[in-house]
Amino acid sequence: MILYLLIIIGSIVLDQLTKIMVVQNLDLYETTMKNPILSITHIRNEGGAWSIFEGHMWFFLLVGIIALCIFSYLLYKNRYNNKWLTVGLSFVIGGTVGNFIDRFRQGYVVDMFQTEFMKFPIFNVADICLVIGVICIFIYILFFDEETNNK
């Protein structure tokens, strides 16, 4: 269980530290480290990916609380079943909390990583953790979940 707590806490701390560094060192909409792959751009996102549901902070807070309850329950229930599932759930919880902190404190999420080689929403460490978590959960479902694989 300590590994999963470290993943959750590490995800939250890394997310919050990168956001603090960006806010302290870049003006809003300022870009730095621009190269063909990635640049750092300080933005405030009041919505989800591609700014969907922009301005509906309470929706995201409510969904965040519900998601945290569900994923925390699943992590506790399955903590000894499979590492792919529990690591995935840990990353999802860490990413959810990271963005939840921003939305609760500020009403928006600080995003900073911008891909230069394709049109993609600007994202942050919490978003990266969410994606890693979902990939781990999909690996579990595709290769290790007996219910899914016995159908």
Side-chain angles (χ1 to χ4, degrees), residues 71 88-89 91-92 129-140:
F71 290 124
L89 290 168
F91 273 113
V92 168
C129 292
L130 288 165
V131 170
I132 291 169
V134 168
I135 289 169
C136 290
I137 292 168
F138 274 130
I139 290 171
Y140 165 74

Side-chain angles (χ1 to χ4, degrees), residues 17-81:
L17 286 176
T18 56
K19 290 172 179 175
I20 289 168
M21 288 172 42
V22 165
V23 168
Q24 288 179 349
N25 294 298
L26 293 176
D27 292 329
L28 192 58
Y29 305 114
E30 182 181 355
T31 299
T32 188
M33 291 179 48
K34 191 166 185 146
N35 63 58
I37 297 172
L38 188 72
S39 63
I40 308 295
T41 302
H42 176 194
I43 68 160
R44 295 176 181 170
N45 185 355
E46 295 181 13
W50 290 283
S51 296
I52 59 169
F53 298 118
E54 188 171 18
H56 293 87
M57 179 188 68
W58 294 108
F59 169 77
F60 289 104
L61 291 174
L62 180 63
V63 169
I65 290 169
I66 292 168
L68 283 173
C69 291
I70 291 170
F71 290 124
S72 297
Y73 169 75
L74 290 172
L75 178 62
Y76 177 77
K77 182 180 170 207
N78 295 295
R79 65 191 179 278
Y80 301 115
N81 285 359

